[in-house]
Amino acid sequence: MPVSFQAPKRGDKDKNKTVSQSNESNLAQDTATVQDVLTKKGDTVFSIRPEDTLGQAVELLSEKHIGALVVTDANGELKGILSERDIVRKLAQTPGKTLPHKTEQVMTSNVETCTRQESLISVLSRMTEGRFRHMPVVENNRLFGIVTIGDVVNYRLVELEYEALQLKQLVVG
């Protein structure tokens, strides 16, 4: 028997137990927000001007390995979003004559945006419902970043891994 072992005594049950983990601490979960994603991802946003051509947009998309560009005016105000999907649609309409078109002719003007405080569940729901994959983060006409459906899913997967670890620790003790 190890030296540190002491058999239970009659009064042991009366003492206040202290534990390093509890159901509350292990299962407490704050609602994840867009800011949580931006904190991990960063707030870098690649943009293009409305008067720039699709040729310029395609080069930037390829160079940066991204799927969409935010379209902003000279003051940085959001005017639209240009996605690979927008370009493919235009390509189907004007084969061989697509790249000279202006971004403003092809971009999505009615852009769904979110705020930094919005929950990821809400953003994911809106993206799924609207069938789009990129959402600019805007507050008071100021662009703070962009979140993608991939960012949201990746963030949630990491959360699930952490939750699984917490549950394992709870079971093991």
Side-chain angles (χ1 to χ4, degrees), residues 16-170:
N16 288 335
K17 284 187 172 182
T18 61
V19 292
S20 62
Q21 299 179 25
S22 68
N23 287 342
E24 292 77 25
S25 69
N26 282 337
L27 300 176
Q29 179 180 354
D30 294 331
T31 301
T33 64
V34 170
Q35 182 59 54
D36 296 328
V37 170
L38 293 179
T39 299
K40 289 188 179 202
K41 170 187 176 171
D43 57 2
T44 302
V45 179
F46 297 103
S47 64
I48 196 163
R49 301 273 183 260
E51 61 275 5
D52 290 340
T53 66
L54 290 185
Q56 292 169 297
V58 168
E59 285 178 23
L60 191 54
L61 288 168
S62 176
E63 176 187 322
K64 301 298 181 184
H65 305 286
I66 55 175
L69 293 166
V70 175
V71 183
T72 58
D73 64 14
N75 299 324
E77 188 176 327
L78 180 66
K79 294 298 176 188
I81 191 165
L82 180 71
S83 69
E84 294 167 321
R85 191 179 291 172
D86 295 325
I87 296 168
V88 168
R89 281 192 198 112
K90 191 64 173 177
L91 184 61
Q93 295 169 356
T94 59
K97 303 174 189 166
T98 305
L99 297 182
H101 284 87
K102 301 287 184 206
T103 299
E104 62 193 350
Q105 296 172 304
V106 182
M107 71 183 189
T108 301
S109 299
N110 188 13
V111 183
E112 286 270 344
T113 64
C114 61
T115 65
R116 293 176 292 175
Q117 290 74 37
E118 192 166 343
S119 74
L120 289 184
I121 296 294
S122 169
V123 169
L124 184 59
S125 175
R126 289 171 53 201
M127 287 177 158
T128 303
E129 204 172 284
R131 298 181 50 97
F132 55 89
R133 299 172 294 191
H134 305 86
M135 188 180 285
V137 182
V138 178
E139 292 176 20
N140 300 321
N141 291 329
R142 182 171 168 227
L143 187 61
F144 281 91
I146 189 166
V147 291
T148 69
I149 203 160
D151 296 333
V152 176
V153 169
N154 185 52
Y155 187 90
R156 186 63 185 129
L157 284 174
V158 170
E159 271 188 332
L160 288 172
E161 287 176 7
Y162 181 67
E163 288 171 20
L165 178 63
Q166 287 180 314
L167 287 172
K168 283 179 187 175
Q169 289 175 342
L170 181 64

